[in-house]
Amino acid sequence: MTSLDPRAAERAYNESLIADVRANAGQATSGPFVGRQLALLTTIGARSGQRRTSPVTYTRDGDRVIVVASDSGSDVHPAWYLNLAVNPNVVVEIGGRTYEARAHAAQGAERDRLYAQHATVHPSFNEYVTTTSRVIPVVILERLTEEAAPSQG
């Protein structure tokens, strides 16, 4: 019996989730993300230079969108975070609308406040800090362009 490569399984799941979210005005219609605030974050690969889209939960802090690089509490940063550390210009899709943004990691007390705020909306993030020794980065996405509605076509 052959088992599916875990990375291939994760990619397949993410591709399915991304298609679902794009087809349903920014909402997941099945699985664990139903009813959650979900954004699609497109980064440029740090090594490949290719565009990579990742589904991420988000919260808002005023006009800013906040995402947390938890990788479900693993001991390594998610690939999307490593990508934006090299190229902070990203594309954000929320609620069927798309815009360009610039990403930067929050620091100190602001990071702690934003993490706590995020964990209030997404309670699983309270557990993630107990499963890793790394400081989980909190990323602020600041809009560079106006939101555009998806093309109808």
Side-chain angles (χ1 to χ4, degrees):
M1 177 175 157
T2 30
S3 62
L4 188 61
D5 172 8
R7 289 176 296 186
E10 181 179 359
R11 278 192 301 275
Y13 174 79
N14 281 346
E15 288 172 12
S16 174
L17 178 58
I18 290 165
D20 181 37
V21 167
R22 285 181 171 155
N24 293 287
Q27 299 298 313
T29 61
S30 66
F33 290 102
V34 170
R36 295 179 77 186
Q37 292 178 299
L38 193 64
L40 300 180
L41 180 66
T42 300
T43 60
I44 303 297
R47 289 181 290 187
S48 71
Q50 295 181 5
R51 293 169 58 90
R52 306 278 188 211
T53 301
S54 303
V56 294
T57 58
Y58 74 93
T59 52
R60 292 193 183 269
D61 186 59
D63 291 338
R64 307 179 308 173
V65 169
I66 308 302
V67 295
V68 176
S70 68
D71 201 19
S72 298
S74 78
D75 287 327
V76 296
H77 295 311
W80 64 260
Y81 177 76
L82 299 174
N83 290 343
L84 66 81
V86 172
N87 184 351
N89 293 326
V90 300
V91 175
V92 180
E93 297 174 60
I94 295 176
R97 302 184 71 78
T98 301
Y99 61 90
E100 294 177 9
R102 186 158 184 90
H104 67 275
Q107 303 295 322
E110 181 180 41
R111 180 243 170 243
D112 296 344
R113 177 183 67 80
L114 293 172
Y115 192 96
Q117 172 184 294
H118 195 83
T120 298
V121 175
H122 305 287
S124 57
F125 285 78
N126 289 311
E127 182 180 326
Y128 297 158
V129 295
T130 68
T131 62
T132 184
S133 59
R134 72 182 171 98
V135 174
I136 298 174
V138 174
V139 177
I140 300 168
L141 304 174
E142 297 194 77
R143 182 187 319 272
L144 295 174
T145 61
E146 293 301 314
E147 287 186 27
S151 62
Q152 303 294 324

